Amino acid sequence: MKIGGFVKTTLSDWDGKVSCMIFLSGCNFSCPYCHNPDIARGACEGEDERKIMEYIEENSDFLEGVVISGGEPTLDRDLYRLLKEIKKAGLRIKMDTNGSSPEVLDDVIGARLVDYVAMDVKAPLSPDRYMTATGGYCDVKAIGKSIRTIMDSGTEYEFRTTVYPGVLSHDDVTDIARSLRGAERFCIQQFRPKVTLDPEAGKVKPYSVKELRAMHDSAKPYVKRVSVRGL
Ligand code: SF4
């Protein structure tokens, strides 16, 4: 298992729940605005899984959950084992995903190994738009399948889109919301230019609060709950 990072306590990654966070290293996307470039490239690993599990077991009364992020967690062959061990410790699990592995999502949701799924929807669902937003990934059928799997699962979830102005316009965000019609929750996330996978992306000015609010209003007719994160 390639664990690229571990945060003992966070309140900001699962609706204010006291959680710890495990970052699995490696990703099959290369989003230019990615703010975890070393983990996405798989350049980080070596966190001690045994010590992390000891921490989780020792703090299972204090922690409300464990967030599994990346990179892309569904690529790790040892994901099931990790999820099972955390469940054995009695904790709820949120998993972040880019939605490229609908079969893995179906399996872990079906086995009740995750309690909340946060899936990125990177662009309107057309191969060329997806390719631009992810630096090369264009299997939008898999993305569509993941969206349906999650929406039909009965598990709590959110879809989320980082609005990087270098790739996404206001109308694109509306298109994405339209493709999520009837979903419970859609988060529009502010782009953070501090550290980016593509250094050029770090020079792009984020959208203003006013523009993000306008995107929120345009998305509202399609999704039950829309929020803006990272203002
Ligand atoms: S932002 Fe893109 S490249 Fe970075 S971890 Fe997420 S899916 Fe991978």
Side-chain angles (χ1 to χ4, degrees), residues 137-195:
Y137 182 90
C138 63
D139 186 356
V140 289
K141 280 192 184 154
I143 300 298
K145 205 170 166 193
S146 290
I147 291 171
R148 285 189 300 280
T149 296
I150 291 168
M151 284 179 68
D152 294 344
S153 67
T155 299
E156 281 188 78
Y157 66 88
E158 69 183 44
F159 297 108
R160 55 195 195 177
T161 296
T162 299
V163 285
Y164 167 53
V167 170
L168 293 181
S169 68
H170 179 142
D171 286 348
D172 289 331
V173 178
T174 311
D175 277 354
I176 292 169
R178 202 176 286 121
S179 68
L180 300 172
R181 195 185 290 269
E184 292 293 330
R185 192 169 180 196
F186 177 45
C187 296
I188 295 168
Q189 298 188 146
Q190 178 64 299
F191 155 65
R192 286 186 276 163
K194 275 187 188 161
V195 182

Side-chain angles (χ1 to χ4, degrees), residues 27-31 33-36 40 70-72 98 120 122 197:
C27 187
N28 52 344
F29 289 9
S30 301
C31 311
Y33 57 83
C34 178
H35 64 269
N36 269 334
E72 174 49 36
N98 63 21
D120 294 340
K122 302 286 186 184
L197 193 147

Side-chain angles (χ1 to χ4, degrees), residues 7-21 23 55 62-67 94 158 185 229:
V7 173
K8 285 185 169 175
T9 311
T10 169
L11 287 169
S12 58
D13 290 282
W14 191 357
D15 286 343
K17 286 186 173 54
V18 183
S19 307
C20 65
M21 193 161 180
F23 295 88
Y55 172 83
F62 158 74
L63 292 167
E64 293 177 272
V66 179
V67 178
K94 171 189 176 227
E158 69 183 44
R185 192 169 180 196
R229 195 176 278 158

